Amino acid sequence: MRKAILLLAGLSAVALLTLWLRDLGGIVEIRVGETWIGVSMPIAVGLIAAGFILLHGALRLIAWARALPARLKARRDERRRAEGDGAITRALVALGAGTAEAARAETRRARALLGDTPQTLLLAAQAERVAGREDAAASIFQSLVDHPQGRFLGLRGLLRQAMQREDWPEAKRLAREAEAAQPGAAWLREERRLLAERTQDWREALALCPPDGPRAALALAAAAQEEDAARAAELEKRAVAADAKFAPAAIAHAARLEAAGSHRRARGVLEAAWLAAPHPDIGAAWVASVAAPLARVKAVEDLTHRNANHPEARLLMARIALEAGLTGRARSELDALVGSGAADRRAYLLLATLEETEQGDTAEGRAAQTRWLREAAAATDAPRWRCDACGAEHGAWKPDCAACGATARINWSSPASLPALTQA
Ligand SMILES: [Zn+2]
């Protein structure tokens, strides 16, 4: 609407100007030497306007002709880009469908159409890997490394290959390079953590462990690798702080304090760990330094007086009392434990030993022992160090499972807490 009004106004202005010029009259003279040309004023203005339009048209035509090759090239490039994008899409579909040869053909087409961009190179490497041609993939990843924008992607591909073929020194070198190319990349951090775990570099694994990761286990494992005693003690302290219920850390920390002559602090660490989560190994460490049988009973009382009804407290007391010949004390603990319904196989085996100690090799003694052994066979198995990844049992805590290679998955657990594995 606005355009129409403007056009109308323009046309009116031209018409008015023409009328005004006609009314004005007059002649425009051009004299060159002897030649004289006289043109009436409106025709002269018309000629000038026509000349201007012609000149403008000619200039536009020249500019158009000059830009023609560039325009044709842009159109060609556009077509190639569209075809290249199509090839990339088809390559992605082929990769998704796992049809390696189709993916390779499409990535070759994409590279021919679009050149070696990080995108086409990455796809080509991926297609080679799907086709099982690791060497070809590696050489493409290497081209990506040399590409200014693809360096990190290339290193990432090479790192994955190195980890897959378990070439740990090469993987570590590539991880360092990738870290330099893209500092702080989340994916790389995770990959470096896996690498540290696979190479049992526990200190590095601890440094890369997320806040909710198994920090206590990794700190304790790092402490065991540490040659410097002060640094090892520091790591053990961190392990205890990370998980107060993690008995191995408390036991290791207490042993180091004891060795350094800090007897009271060592006892404090064991006591705190026992209160957090009573564990037979803590009980064993607690009484290890006490030799006299009755003094051992007193030591167990000191340890367990704040949670004397806990099944582990009762078991510890029963065992130490039995060793000291206090069969009545042992029996009262074991009876209470069986009565509470929390008794496992260890309680029934201790009762069998108790009958033997009290009644000796008599008919009654043998009958009572047999009864408890039968109960023991039917009872829940004792808790053990078990890998929650594969269910394998371990005699002692370890940072990684020898059966399945999982890291920080060995936990203290009874079979009842592993329903999936008991069913299997
Ligand atoms: Zn395992």
Side-chain angles (χ1 to χ4, degrees), residues 10-24:
L11 284 173
S12 311
V14 169
L16 282 171
L17 185 69
T18 313
L19 286 173
W20 178 71
L21 282 171
R22 199 188 64 189
D23 291 348
L24 197 67

Side-chain angles (χ1 to χ4, degrees), residues 10-299:
L11 284 173
S12 311
V14 169
L16 282 171
L17 185 69
T18 313
L19 286 173
W20 178 71
L21 282 171
R22 199 188 64 189
D23 291 348
L24 197 67
I27 284 175
V28 175
E29 292 183 10
I30 298 169
R31 194 191 293 270
V32 182
E34 292 300 307
T35 317
W36 177 91
I37 302 167
V39 185
S40 74
M41 183 68 175
I43 291 175
V45 171
L47 281 174
I48 288 168
F52 174 77
I53 290 166
L54 272 175
L55 186 67
H56 179 73
L59 287 174
R60 287 284 299 270
L61 190 69
I62 291 166
W64 179 84
R66 283 181 63 183
L68 188 64
R71 240 189 347 268
L72 286 177
K73 184 177 179 307
R75 199 170 301 163
R76 215 165 41 238
D77 287 353
E78 178 72 21
R79 208 168 43 236
R80 284 173 76 86
R81 213 161 28 241
E83 281 174 20
D85 286 347
I88 283 182
T89 308
R90 287 190 298 277
L92 283 170
V93 170
L95 277 175
T99 44
E101 285 313 313
R104 286 183 66 220
E106 292 298 345
T107 52
R108 266 201 305 275
R109 195 165 300 141
R111 279 176 83 179
L113 288 163
L114 301 174
D116 281 349
T117 66
Q119 198 185 13
T120 54
L121 284 171
L122 187 64
L123 264 180
Q126 211 56 35
E128 297 294 358
R129 287 203 76 186
V130 172
R133 296 158 54 100
E134 292 290 339
D135 288 347
S139 87
I140 299 174
F141 282 135
Q142 194 55 54
S143 316
L144 258 175
V145 171
D146 301 335
H147 196 286
Q149 282 144 13
R151 185 167 169 76
F152 177 74
L153 289 172
L155 289 168
R156 191 176 87 143
L158 290 173
L159 172 59
R160 279 192 170 152
Q161 286 188 306
M163 285 184 75
Q164 200 173 36
R165 60 174 190 271
E166 305 197 343
D167 181 353
W168 306 122
E170 174 70 355
K172 281 196 159 183
R173 186 187 69 74
L174 289 163
R176 272 196 300 276
E177 277 193 45
E179 179 67 34
Q182 187 104 5
W187 169 84
L188 186 60
R189 194 183 163 84
E190 181 57 20
E191 217 65 5
R192 282 174 59 209
R193 192 179 66 75
L194 286 176
L195 190 56
E197 286 181 3
R198 296 304 296 272
T199 53
Q200 301 186 326
D201 183 350
W202 303 123
R203 188 172 258 284
E204 169 93 342
L206 175 65
L208 295 165
C209 179
D212 57 346
R215 304 186 75 83
L218 294 174
L220 180 60
Q225 276 179 342
E226 183 59 63
E227 283 170 11
D228 182 89
R231 279 208 293 270
E234 190 50 45
L235 284 164
E236 283 160 2
K237 209 166 149 186
R238 273 176 72 184
V240 173
D243 185 359
K245 295 182 173 179
F246 183 47
I251 292 165
H253 188 39
R256 198 174 294 276
L257 288 169
E258 192 76 58
S262 307
H263 178 70
R264 271 190 53 200
R265 284 177 62 203
R267 299 305 262 181
V269 167
L270 287 178
E271 201 172 2
W274 176 270
L275 266 179
H279 189 286
D281 291 352
I282 300 174
W286 182 265
V287 295
S289 58
V290 186
L294 286 175
R296 283 160 73 85
V297 174
K298 175 74 181 64

Side-chain angles (χ1 to χ4, degrees), residues 313-334:
R314 290 199 184 284
L315 273 172
L316 179 64
M317 181 50 91
R319 189 167 61 76
I320 299 299
L322 192 56
E323 281 169 15
L326 305 179
T327 49
R329 178 72 190 270
R331 187 180 290 280
S332 75
E333 295 291 348
L334 292 171

Side-chain angles (χ1 to χ4, degrees), residues 387 389-392 401 403-406:
C387 170
C390 71
C401 174
C404 71

